[in-house]
Amino acid sequence: MLIVPEKEIANLMTRAAAFDAVKGVFASMSAKTAYNFPVIREAIGHADALYGFKSGFDKAALNLGLKSGGYWPGNAEKGLTNHQSTIFLFDADTGKCRAIVGGNLLTALRTAAAAAVSVDCLARQESEVLGIVGAGHQAAFQLRAVAEQRDFKRVVAWNRSPEKLDTLRSVAEELGLGFEAVSLDELGAQSDVIVTITSSFDPILQQGQIRAGTHVACMGTDTKGKQEIAAALSGDARLFTDEIAQSVTIGEFQHPVAEGLVDQDRINELGAVINGTTAGRASDEEITIFDGTGVGLQDLAVASAVVELAVGQGVAQDVEF
Ligand code: NAD
């Protein structure tokens, strides 16, 4: 059995490899050659922790496994990341554990890759202004990955605590992009592409705040009750997601569906756009929204890619198991 420790991931995994892995598995999900198993997420009644599993099987790539992990709010005081994940891959022919892979950095990379794939498929080609809502741990990963998809000139950003925007400012400057901290009205009026990456339980962006032709990637909502955009915004937009079942239960589209503003059959799989079985953006005026809920197969895809890279570079630890 192979082990790829968390400390090795940064030297192995690239944004390009994460993008390819995520794009490929979205396509497989839509082609029904890969499927996710039901998500388990529990408050364990200890250390205020939320713990769970995301798992699935990609028949074409033979990726079988799970990501185990969750959120331990007291970890920062112990010098640890609050979000903790480990990915387990199993041999699809025998069930033997094939690899254990550190999942913290991979989670950020695969989440940012999902937004990037949505921008690649759905944003207007001439998009120049990238809006980021949120400035937590994931935000800089989102900025780096999405910035690669179009010839962006500027980043405008908003965060509930504006003083936390400094990291995004330095990343934008490093990428040679202009940066401005703005109000939500300014962000909506200027952006061609918007990424929302917060843990909000109330809508942040409102109807009318976003201009025609915008692509919005909602990446923060991954739990029942969380919400980043007003439900009414989805009413007039073209809607896309990684997995429809997850989107309408724990993703952003849980709200417009529950409020009767959107029929579930209006939501398209991003994988179907990748496969060419569903049309993407139809006009420069259309608002497109991608609900990136985060699926287990994304984790398996990036973990499998990193195991291959680790073996190739001789840094995978091989243990008898
Ligand atoms: P974080 O705790 O580091 O940052 C949270 C961010 O949300 C901050 O910018 C904070 O200001 C903002 N925020 C919180 N409550 C808000 C409110 N009521 N209004 C406006 N802003 C608010 O979290 P993170 O690691 O950056 O993750 C952000 C979100 O992304 C979380 O909800 C997390 O669960 C989710 N996430 C989703 C995926 C996925 O695949 N879709 C993967 C990883 C994380």
Side-chain angles (χ1 to χ4, degrees):
M1 185 189 71
L2 299 170
I3 298 178
V4 185
E6 185 66 46
K7 67 178 168 55
E8 299 291 352
I9 306 291
N11 300 325
L12 291 166
M13 198 60 183
T14 61
R15 279 191 298 282
F19 181 96
D20 290 344
V22 168
K23 189 170 182 177
V25 83
F26 283 171
S28 300
M29 281 162 55
S30 186
K32 309 293 179 226
T33 55
Y35 63 106
N36 293 289
F37 306 157
V39 174
I40 307 274
R41 199 163 163 88
E42 295 283 328
I44 59 171
H46 179 78
D48 281 335
L50 281 176
Y51 174 69
F53 308 97
K54 283 188 170 182
S55 54
F57 180 41
D58 182 334
K59 262 190 200 166
L62 292 186
N63 286 334
L64 174 69
L66 61 91
K67 178 168 82 172
S68 148
Y71 185 72
W72 274 258
N75 273 7
E77 289 161 22
K78 300 172 187 159
L80 297 169
T81 312
N82 286 355
H83 289 273
Q84 288 293 330
S85 318
T86 310
I87 303 167
F88 297 79
L89 297 174
F90 297 90
D91 186 315
D93 294 314
T94 62
K96 259 186 77 95
C97 189
R98 180 162 79 85
I100 301 180
V101 182
N104 292 351
L105 178 57
L106 283 182
T107 297
L109 291 172
R110 67 82 149 138
T111 305
V117 171
S118 83
V119 171
D120 175 45
C121 293
L122 297 169
R124 281 181 292 111
Q125 283 303 332
E126 64 281 10
S127 295
E128 290 191 345
V129 181
L130 170 57
I132 307 269
V133 175
H137 178 68
Q138 306 289 332
F141 292 95
Q142 292 285 328
L143 169 51
R144 285 184 192 280
V146 169
E148 287 170 344
Q149 303 310 316
R150 291 290 184 269
D151 190 12
F152 289 106
K153 307 281 187 267
R154 280 192 313 125
V155 176
V156 290
W158 178 91
N159 192 51
R160 192 171 54 166
S161 325
E163 66 280 4
K164 299 224 169 100
L165 288 168
D166 284 351
T167 306
L168 283 183
R169 180 186 295 278
S170 24
V171 172
E173 284 170 1
E174 180 199 317
L175 299 175
L177 301 171
F179 182 91
E180 200 182 344
V182 293
S183 67
L184 284 170
D185 279 339
E186 289 167 325
L187 185 139
Q190 295 178 30
S191 300
D192 300 302
V193 170
I194 299 175
V195 175
T196 61
I197 183 72
T198 72
S199 37
S200 177
F201 279 80
D202 297 301
I204 300 171
L205 285 169
Q206 307 299 329
Q207 196 181 25
Q209 221 164 16
I210 291 174
R211 61 182 182 158
T214 305
H215 173 65
V216 188
C218 298
M219 305 306 299
T221 297
D222 56 1
T223 302
K224 199 167 171 49
K226 282 188 187 173
Q227 187 172 12
E228 299 191 289
I229 62 170
L233 254 172
S234 302
D236 306 325
R238 291 274 319 288
L239 308 181
F240 301 86
T241 189
D242 41 23
E243 189 190 80
I244 293 169
Q246 201 160 284
S247 167
V248 300
T249 49
I250 60 170
E252 192 63 36
F253 296 149
Q254 64 183 287
H255 302 288
V257 169
E259 289 177 31
L261 297 169
V262 163
D263 283 339
Q264 191 168 314
D265 59 12
R266 267 196 49 211
I267 306 172
N268 304 288
E269 290 173 324
L270 187 59
V273 180
I274 297 165
N275 289 338
T277 53
T278 293
R281 166 176 293 282
S283 78
D284 280 354
E285 279 68 51
E286 195 167 69
I287 289 177
T288 50
I289 303 177
F290 171 66
D291 177 13
T293 65
V295 293
L297 283 168
Q298 274 171 269
D299 298 303
L300 305 188
V302 289
S304 181
V306 98
V307 167
E308 209 169 295
L309 289 164
V311 169
Q313 295 179 33
V315 295
Q317 298 170 14
D318 201 345
V319 297
E320 208 54 53
F321 184 68

